[in-house]
Amino acid sequence: MTGTKKIEATMNIDVDVVRQLAAILDEVGLSEIEVEDNGRMIRVARTMTAAAAPAMYAAPPLAQAAAAPAAVPA
């Protein structure tokens, strides 16, 4: 698809420009990019999913320390 594609009755958008901006998002790891030219602005954004947080597990219980020797009766 080349050239412009009519998105709304009053606005023509160059789909190639939008694709190029989306490619830039992927290349540099941005979540959105916005450009303005001759009073027209294009903003391309993508939803960023947060990486799953590592599961937190309780540490296994420590082995009981060797029982203290019984006190010697006096």
Side-chain angles (χ1 to χ4, degrees):
M1 185 182 291
T2 59
T4 60
K5 179 180 177 186
K6 197 168 193 172
I7 302 294
E8 293 182 15
T10 60
M11 184 175 204
N12 289 324
I13 296 189
D14 188 337
V15 175
D16 290 332
V17 171
V18 174
R19 287 188 177 141
Q20 290 171 357
L21 293 173
I24 292 170
L25 290 180
D26 289 335
E27 288 174 20
V28 297
L30 294 174
S31 61
E32 66 182 67
I33 190 168
E34 185 176 298
V35 294
E36 187 173 344
D37 183 40
N38 293 327
R40 296 187 73 186
M41 182 182 69
I42 297 175
R43 179 177 169 266
V44 178
R46 64 180 172 159
T47 302
M48 300 289 287
T49 57
M56 301 296 280
Y57 297 100
L62 296 175
Q64 290 290 337
V72 178

